[in-house]
Amino acid sequence: MVSPRSLRRPWAVASARGEWRLDVRGLALFRMALGLASLVEIAELWAYREAFLSSKGVCPQHKVKGPHSFDLFFAAQGDGATSLLLVLNFLAASAFACGLWSRLATVISWLFAVSLHHRFSGCVDYGGDQLRAQLLFWCMFIPLGSVWSVDAYLDHCTANQPRLAVTTESSDCEESKDRRRAQSPLRLRTVHPEGTLAKP
């Protein structure tokens, strides 16, 4: 039998039916940690973007490992376009860490992580980019934004928002006419000039 005290710790015990519970607060902490690690990585890359992401740097296009490697930064022509992509990556990582549009932010962060992994795999041996790309891939299938996130706060506010029923004056008049007509014992008929009778 599960005690009431243990029910307050769903990550440590099973339910009364024998089903194990998943504490989404641990996923929220994981989301924050991974998002902060991504932000630190992007901030470090911003300082050395010309050395690593430009065509004249240590990782040019011909050094990329594999003929079908995916890299968003190859579409950037010049330092301005590269800086813009890094800013987009930073915004996506920030939204991921805060839990804002969690699923979309995860997909965008994963695309940038795969791009950086393919760019650096042929010239810089660093397993952190590969690990981050794999973690972000599996994050697309788990509820990272269920608690402690902006998405959860917005869902809570939407669920508690009162619903107002708005009726127009014409519909109220029609309902009152139908009610009086149903309660009246007499039924009136209209006589047309042709002499035919029509029900109202």
Side-chain angles (χ1 to χ4, degrees):
M1 182 177 180
V2 182
S3 62
R5 181 179 180 182
S6 62
L7 289 176
R8 293 194 293 266
R9 297 178 297 172
W11 63 91
V13 298
S15 63
R17 297 181 180 180
E19 300 174 355
W20 288 94
R21 298 180 180 180
L22 175 64
D23 186 13
V24 292
R25 291 174 294 181
L27 297 179
L29 291 176
F30 169 75
R31 185 197 72 237
M32 296 176 188
L34 184 57
L36 291 177
S38 301
L39 291 175
V40 172
E41 180 73 17
I42 298 169
E44 293 179 351
L45 190 60
W46 175 270
Y48 303 100
R49 60 186 182 277
E50 185 175 358
F52 288 100
L53 297 177
S54 65
S55 58
K56 299 179 181 179
V58 296
C59 296
Q61 185 174 1
H62 64 274
K63 284 188 177 182
V64 174
K65 184 178 181 181
H68 304 289
S69 296
F70 177 79
D71 189 0
L72 293 174
F73 293 95
F74 280 149
Q77 301 293 332
D79 185 67
T82 302
S83 301
L84 179 60
L85 289 177
L86 286 177
V87 169
L88 293 178
N89 192 5
F90 187 86
L91 293 177
S94 301
F96 175 79
C98 297
L100 175 62
W101 302 322
S102 303
R103 191 62 54 85
L104 178 62
T106 304
V107 173
I108 297 176
S109 299
W110 174 73
L111 291 176
F112 278 107
V114 171
S115 299
L116 293 177
H117 169 61
H118 288 170
R119 170 61 72 91
F120 298 149
S121 60
C123 55
V124 179
D125 293 331
Y126 177 58
D129 294 329
Q130 182 179 4
L131 177 61
R132 185 158 58 93
Q134 293 176 353
L135 291 177
L136 287 172
F137 174 79
W138 292 111
C139 285
M140 293 187 290
F141 307 101
I142 55 179
L144 292 180
S146 298
V147 295
W148 297 349
S149 64
V150 180
D151 290 340
Y153 175 76
L154 295 178
D155 293 340
H156 178 73
C157 293
T158 304
N160 294 336
Q161 185 177 3
R163 298 181 179 179
L164 300 178
V166 180
T167 57
T168 60
E169 183 179 357
S170 60
S171 62
D172 293 340
C173 294
E174 292 177 359
E175 291 179 359
S176 60
K177 290 180 180 179
D178 295 339
R179 192 180 303 110
R180 289 196 302 269
R181 187 176 301 172
Q183 294 176 355
S184 176
L186 300 178
R187 291 179 177 267
L188 301 179
R189 293 187 178 184
T190 304
V191 179
H192 292 277
E194 292 81 2
T196 59
L197 296 179
K199 295 182 179 180

Short mmCIF file of all heavy atoms in Angstrom, two decimals, residues 154-195:
data_model
loop_
_atom_site.label_atom_id
_atom_site.label_comp_id
_atom_site.label_asym_id
_atom_site.label_seq_id
_atom_site.Cartn_x
_atom_site.Cartn_y
_atom_site.Cartn_z
N LEU A 154 1.00 29.86 -19.79
CA LEU A 154 -0.01 30.32 -20.73
C LEU A 154 -1.19 29.35 -20.80
O LEU A 154 -2.34 29.78 -20.89
CB LEU A 154 0.62 30.50 -22.11
CG LEU A 154 1.69 31.60 -22.23
CD1 LEU A 154 2.26 31.62 -23.64
CD2 LEU A 154 1.11 32.96 -21.86
N ASP A 155 -0.91 28.06 -20.76
CA ASP A 155 -1.99 27.07 -20.75
C ASP A 155 -2.84 27.19 -19.49
O ASP A 155 -4.07 27.05 -19.53
CB ASP A 155 -1.42 25.66 -20.85
CG ASP A 155 -0.77 25.41 -22.21
OD1 ASP A 155 -1.09 26.15 -23.16
OD2 ASP A 155 0.05 24.49 -22.31
N HIS A 156 -2.20 27.47 -18.35
CA HIS A 156 -2.94 27.64 -17.10
C HIS A 156 -3.83 28.87 -17.15
O HIS A 156 -4.99 28.84 -16.70
CB HIS A 156 -1.96 27.73 -15.94
CG HIS A 156 -2.62 27.95 -14.61
ND1 HIS A 156 -3.32 26.96 -13.95
CD2 HIS A 156 -2.69 29.06 -13.81
CE1 HIS A 156 -3.79 27.44 -12.81
NE2 HIS A 156 -3.43 28.70 -12.70
N CYS A 157 -3.31 29.97 -17.70
CA CYS A 157 -4.11 31.19 -17.80
C CYS A 157 -5.28 30.99 -18.77
O CYS A 157 -6.38 31.49 -18.53
CB CYS A 157 -3.24 32.34 -18.27
SG CYS A 157 -1.97 32.84 -17.07
N THR A 158 -5.06 30.26 -19.86
CA THR A 158 -6.13 30.02 -20.82
C THR A 158 -7.21 29.12 -20.23
O THR A 158 -8.41 29.32 -20.47
CB THR A 158 -5.56 29.38 -22.09
OG1 THR A 158 -4.52 30.22 -22.61
CG2 THR A 158 -6.64 29.21 -23.13
N ALA A 159 -6.80 28.13 -19.44
CA ALA A 159 -7.78 27.21 -18.85
C ALA A 159 -8.64 27.91 -17.80
O ALA A 159 -9.82 27.58 -17.64
CB ALA A 159 -7.07 26.01 -18.24
N ASN A 160 -8.08 28.89 -17.07
CA ASN A 160 -8.82 29.58 -16.02
C ASN A 160 -9.55 30.82 -16.53
O ASN A 160 -10.18 31.51 -15.74
CB ASN A 160 -7.87 29.99 -14.90
CG ASN A 160 -7.30 28.79 -14.17
OD1 ASN A 160 -7.90 27.72 -14.17
ND2 ASN A 160 -6.15 28.96 -13.56
N GLN A 161 -9.46 31.11 -17.79
CA GLN A 161 -10.12 32.29 -18.32
C GLN A 161 -11.62 32.06 -18.40
O GLN A 161 -12.08 31.05 -18.94
CB GLN A 161 -9.58 32.62 -19.72
CG GLN A 161 -10.13 33.91 -20.29
CD GLN A 161 -9.51 34.23 -21.63
OE1 GLN A 161 -8.73 33.45 -22.16
NE2 GLN A 161 -9.87 35.37 -22.19
N PRO A 162 -12.44 32.96 -17.83
CA PRO A 162 -13.90 32.75 -17.86
C PRO A 162 -14.44 32.89 -19.27
O PRO A 162 -13.96 33.68 -20.08
CB PRO A 162 -14.44 33.87 -16.95
CG PRO A 162 -13.38 34.93 -16.99
CD PRO A 162 -12.07 34.20 -17.14
N ARG A 163 -15.45 32.08 -19.56
CA ARG A 163 -16.08 32.09 -20.86
C ARG A 163 -17.40 32.86 -20.79
O ARG A 163 -18.23 32.59 -19.94
CB ARG A 163 -16.35 30.66 -21.35
CG ARG A 163 -15.06 29.84 -21.51
CD ARG A 163 -15.39 28.44 -22.00
NE ARG A 163 -14.17 27.66 -22.17
CZ ARG A 163 -14.16 26.39 -22.58
NH1 ARG A 163 -15.30 25.78 -22.86
NH2 ARG A 163 -13.01 25.75 -22.71
N LEU A 164 -17.56 33.81 -21.68
CA LEU A 164 -18.74 34.65 -21.71
C LEU A 164 -19.64 34.21 -22.85
O LEU A 164 -19.18 34.01 -23.98
CB LEU A 164 -18.35 36.13 -21.89
CG LEU A 164 -17.46 36.71 -20.78
CD1 LEU A 164 -17.11 38.16 -21.11
CD2 LEU A 164 -18.15 36.63 -19.42
N ALA A 165 -20.94 34.08 -22.56
CA ALA A 165 -21.92 33.73 -23.58
C ALA A 165 -22.58 35.01 -24.06
O ALA A 165 -23.27 35.69 -23.30
CB ALA A 165 -22.96 32.76 -23.02
N VAL A 166 -22.39 35.36 -25.29
CA VAL A 166 -22.90 36.60 -25.87
C VAL A 166 -24.07 36.25 -26.78
O VAL A 166 -23.93 35.43 -27.69
CB VAL A 166 -21.81 37.35 -26.65
CG1 VAL A 166 -22.37 38.64 -27.24
CG2 VAL A 166 -20.62 37.64 -25.74
N THR A 167 -25.21 36.86 -26.54
CA THR A 167 -26.39 36.65 -27.37
C THR A 167 -26.81 37.97 -27.97
O THR A 167 -26.73 39.03 -27.31
CB THR A 167 -27.55 36.06 -26.56
OG1 THR A 167 -27.85 36.94 -25.47
CG2 THR A 167 -27.20 34.68 -26.02
N THR A 168 -27.29 37.96 -29.17
CA THR A 168 -27.72 39.18 -29.84
C THR A 168 -29.17 39.48 -29.49
O THR A 168 -29.92 38.63 -29.01
CB THR A 168 -27.59 39.02 -31.36
OG1 THR A 168 -28.39 37.92 -31.79
CG2 THR A 168 -26.13 38.76 -31.74
N GLU A 169 -29.56 40.72 -29.76
CA GLU A 169 -30.92 41.14 -29.42
C GLU A 169 -31.95 40.45 -30.31
O GLU A 169 -33.04 40.11 -29.87
CB GLU A 169 -31.02 42.65 -29.57
CG GLU A 169 -32.38 43.22 -29.16
CD GLU A 169 -32.41 44.72 -29.29
OE1 GLU A 169 -31.35 45.29 -29.64
OE2 GLU A 169 -33.49 45.29 -29.05
N SER A 170 -31.58 40.22 -31.56
CA SER A 170 -32.51 39.57 -32.47
C SER A 170 -32.80 38.14 -32.05
O SER A 170 -33.95 37.68 -32.11
CB SER A 170 -31.95 39.60 -33.89
OG SER A 170 -30.71 38.92 -33.95
N SER A 171 -31.76 37.42 -31.61
CA SER A 171 -32.00 36.05 -31.16
C SER A 171 -32.86 36.02 -29.91
O SER A 171 -33.71 35.14 -29.74
CB SER A 171 -30.66 35.35 -30.90
OG SER A 171 -29.94 36.02 -29.87
N ASP A 172 -32.69 37.00 -29.00
CA ASP A 172 -33.53 37.06 -27.81
C ASP A 172 -34.99 37.33 -28.19
O ASP A 172 -35.91 36.76 -27.60
CB ASP A 172 -33.03 38.16 -26.87
CG ASP A 172 -31.66 37.81 -26.29
OD1 ASP A 172 -31.33 36.61 -26.31
OD2 ASP A 172 -30.96 38.73 -25.83
N CYS A 173 -35.19 38.21 -29.17
CA CYS A 173 -36.55 38.50 -29.60
C CYS A 173 -37.21 37.27 -30.24
O CYS A 173 -38.38 36.98 -30.00
CB CYS A 173 -36.56 39.67 -30.59
SG CYS A 173 -36.05 41.24 -29.86
N GLU A 174 -36.46 36.57 -31.04
CA GLU A 174 -37.00 35.37 -31.67
C GLU A 174 -37.35 34.32 -30.64
O GLU A 174 -38.39 33.64 -30.75
CB GLU A 174 -35.99 34.82 -32.68
CG GLU A 174 -35.81 35.72 -33.90
CD GLU A 174 -34.76 35.18 -34.84
OE1 GLU A 174 -34.18 34.12 -34.51
OE2 GLU A 174 -34.52 35.80 -35.88
N GLU A 175 -36.50 34.16 -29.61
CA GLU A 175 -36.79 33.18 -28.58
C GLU A 175 -38.05 33.57 -27.79
O GLU A 175 -38.87 32.72 -27.44
CB GLU A 175 -35.59 33.04 -27.64
CG GLU A 175 -34.38 32.37 -28.30
CD GLU A 175 -33.21 32.28 -27.34
OE1 GLU A 175 -33.36 32.75 -26.19
OE2 GLU A 175 -32.16 31.74 -27.74
N SER A 176 -38.21 34.87 -27.50
CA SER A 176 -39.40 35.29 -26.76
C SER A 176 -40.66 35.12 -27.59
O SER A 176 -41.72 34.73 -27.07
CB SER A 176 -39.24 36.76 -26.34
OG SER A 176 -39.09 37.59 -27.48
N LYS A 177 -40.58 35.37 -28.90
CA LYS A 177 -41.73 35.16 -29.77
C LYS A 177 -42.12 33.69 -29.82
O LYS A 177 -43.30 33.33 -29.76
CB LYS A 177 -41.44 35.68 -31.17
CG LYS A 177 -41.36 37.21 -31.26
CD LYS A 177 -41.06 37.63 -32.68
CE LYS A 177 -40.97 39.15 -32.78
NZ LYS A 177 -40.64 39.57 -34.17
N ASP A 178 -41.11 32.83 -29.95
CA ASP A 178 -41.41 31.40 -29.99
C ASP A 178 -42.01 30.93 -28.68
O ASP A 178 -42.91 30.07 -28.67
CB ASP A 178 -40.13 30.62 -30.30
CG ASP A 178 -39.61 30.91 -31.70
OD1 ASP A 178 -40.42 31.38 -32.54
OD2 ASP A 178 -38.40 30.70 -31.94
N ARG A 179 -41.55 31.49 -27.56
CA ARG A 179 -42.08 31.09 -26.27
C ARG A 179 -43.53 31.53 -26.11
O ARG A 179 -44.38 30.77 -25.62
CB ARG A 179 -41.22 31.68 -25.14
CG ARG A 179 -41.51 31.10 -23.77
CD ARG A 179 -40.62 31.71 -22.71
NE ARG A 179 -39.21 31.53 -23.02
CZ ARG A 179 -38.39 32.52 -23.38
NH1 ARG A 179 -38.87 33.75 -23.48
NH2 ARG A 179 -37.13 32.27 -23.64
N ARG A 180 -43.83 32.77 -26.51
CA ARG A 180 -45.21 33.24 -26.41
C ARG A 180 -46.12 32.48 -27.37
O ARG A 180 -47.28 32.20 -27.06
CB ARG A 180 -45.26 34.74 -26.73
CG ARG A 180 -44.65 35.61 -25.64
CD ARG A 180 -45.09 37.05 -25.82
NE ARG A 180 -44.71 37.57 -27.13
CZ ARG A 180 -43.56 38.20 -27.40
NH1 ARG A 180 -42.69 38.39 -26.40
NH2 ARG A 180 -43.29 38.63 -28.60
N ARG A 181 -45.60 32.15 -28.54
CA ARG A 181 -46.40 31.41 -29.51
C ARG A 181 -46.71 30.00 -29.02
O ARG A 181 -47.80 29.45 -29.25
CB ARG A 181 -45.66 31.36 -30.84
CG ARG A 181 -46.45 30.75 -31.98
CD ARG A 181 -45.65 30.84 -33.26
NE ARG A 181 -45.32 32.22 -33.56
CZ ARG A 181 -44.48 32.57 -34.55
NH1 ARG A 181 -43.89 31.62 -35.27
NH2 ARG A 181 -44.21 33.83 -34.78
N ALA A 182 -45.71 29.38 -28.31
CA ALA A 182 -45.95 28.04 -27.79
C ALA A 182 -46.92 28.04 -26.63
O ALA A 182 -47.69 27.10 -26.43
CB ALA A 182 -44.62 27.41 -27.37
N GLN A 183 -46.92 29.12 -25.81
CA GLN A 183 -47.81 29.20 -24.67
C GLN A 183 -49.22 29.65 -25.04
O GLN A 183 -50.16 29.44 -24.28
CB GLN A 183 -47.22 30.16 -23.62
CG GLN A 183 -45.92 29.66 -23.01
CD GLN A 183 -45.32 30.68 -22.07
OE1 GLN A 183 -45.83 31.79 -21.93
NE2 GLN A 183 -44.22 30.29 -21.41
N SER A 184 -49.40 30.28 -26.16
CA SER A 184 -50.72 30.80 -26.55
C SER A 184 -51.61 29.66 -27.03
O SER A 184 -51.19 28.84 -27.86
CB SER A 184 -50.57 31.83 -27.67
OG SER A 184 -51.83 32.27 -28.10
N PRO A 185 -52.88 29.59 -26.55
CA PRO A 185 -53.77 28.50 -27.00
C PRO A 185 -54.36 28.76 -28.37
O PRO A 185 -54.93 27.87 -28.98
CB PRO A 185 -54.86 28.50 -25.93
CG PRO A 185 -54.90 29.91 -25.43
CD PRO A 185 -53.49 30.42 -25.50
N LEU A 186 -54.30 30.00 -28.87
CA LEU A 186 -54.87 30.35 -30.15
C LEU A 186 -53.80 30.39 -31.22
O LEU A 186 -52.67 30.80 -30.97
CB LEU A 186 -55.57 31.72 -30.07
CG LEU A 186 -56.72 31.83 -29.05
CD1 LEU A 186 -57.28 33.24 -29.06
CD2 LEU A 186 -57.83 30.83 -29.40
N ARG A 187 -54.12 29.96 -32.39
CA ARG A 187 -53.23 30.01 -33.53
C ARG A 187 -53.88 30.90 -34.60
O ARG A 187 -55.01 30.66 -35.00
CB ARG A 187 -52.99 28.61 -34.10
CG ARG A 187 -52.17 27.71 -33.19
CD ARG A 187 -51.98 26.35 -33.81
NE ARG A 187 -51.14 25.53 -32.97
CZ ARG A 187 -49.83 25.41 -33.10
NH1 ARG A 187 -49.24 26.08 -34.07
NH2 ARG A 187 -49.12 24.65 -32.31
N LEU A 188 -53.18 31.90 -35.00
CA LEU A 188 -53.70 32.85 -35.97
C LEU A 188 -53.28 32.44 -37.36
O LEU A 188 -52.20 31.90 -37.56
CB LEU A 188 -53.18 34.26 -35.64
CG LEU A 188 -53.54 34.81 -34.26
CD1 LEU A 188 -52.94 36.18 -34.09
CD2 LEU A 188 -55.04 34.83 -34.06
N ARG A 189 -54.16 32.75 -38.29
CA ARG A 189 -53.88 32.47 -39.68
C ARG A 189 -54.01 33.77 -40.48
O ARG A 189 -54.87 34.60 -40.19
CB ARG A 189 -54.82 31.41 -40.24
CG ARG A 189 -54.61 30.03 -39.62
CD ARG A 189 -55.45 28.99 -40.33
NE ARG A 189 -55.20 27.66 -39.76
CZ ARG A 189 -55.73 26.55 -40.24
NH1 ARG A 189 -56.55 26.61 -41.30
NH2 ARG A 189 -55.48 25.40 -39.69
N THR A 190 -53.21 33.88 -41.47
CA THR A 190 -53.22 35.06 -42.31
C THR A 190 -53.94 34.76 -43.60
O THR A 190 -53.67 33.75 -44.25
CB THR A 190 -51.78 35.52 -42.62
OG1 THR A 190 -51.10 35.72 -41.39
CG2 THR A 190 -51.77 36.80 -43.43
N VAL A 191 -54.87 35.65 -43.97
CA VAL A 191 -55.63 35.49 -45.18
C VAL A 191 -55.01 36.35 -46.27
O VAL A 191 -54.88 37.57 -46.11
CB VAL A 191 -57.10 35.89 -44.98
CG1 VAL A 191 -57.90 35.74 -46.28
CG2 VAL A 191 -57.73 35.08 -43.87
N HIS A 192 -54.53 35.73 -47.34
CA HIS A 192 -53.93 36.45 -48.44
C HIS A 192 -55.01 37.00 -49.36
O HIS A 192 -56.16 36.56 -49.32
CB HIS A 192 -53.00 35.53 -49.23
CG HIS A 192 -51.79 35.14 -48.43
ND1 HIS A 192 -50.69 35.94 -48.35
CD2 HIS A 192 -51.56 34.04 -47.66
CE1 HIS A 192 -49.80 35.35 -47.58
NE2 HIS A 192 -50.30 34.19 -47.14
N PRO A 193 -54.68 37.97 -50.19
CA PRO A 193 -55.69 38.51 -51.11
C PRO A 193 -56.23 37.46 -52.04
O PRO A 193 -57.38 37.56 -52.49
CB PRO A 193 -54.90 39.59 -51.88
CG PRO A 193 -53.83 39.98 -50.95
CD PRO A 193 -53.46 38.75 -50.20
N GLU A 194 -55.51 36.44 -52.38
CA GLU A 194 -56.00 35.40 -53.27
C GLU A 194 -57.01 34.50 -52.58
O GLU A 194 -57.63 33.64 -53.23
CB GLU A 194 -54.84 34.57 -53.81
CG GLU A 194 -53.92 35.33 -54.75
CD GLU A 194 -52.92 36.18 -54.00
OE1 GLU A 194 -52.96 36.13 -52.74
OE2 GLU A 194 -52.13 36.88 -54.63
N GLY A 195 -57.08 34.59 -51.25
CA GLY A 195 -58.02 33.77 -50.54
C GLY A 195 -57.44 32.52 -49.92
O GLY A 195 -58.16 31.73 -49.34
#
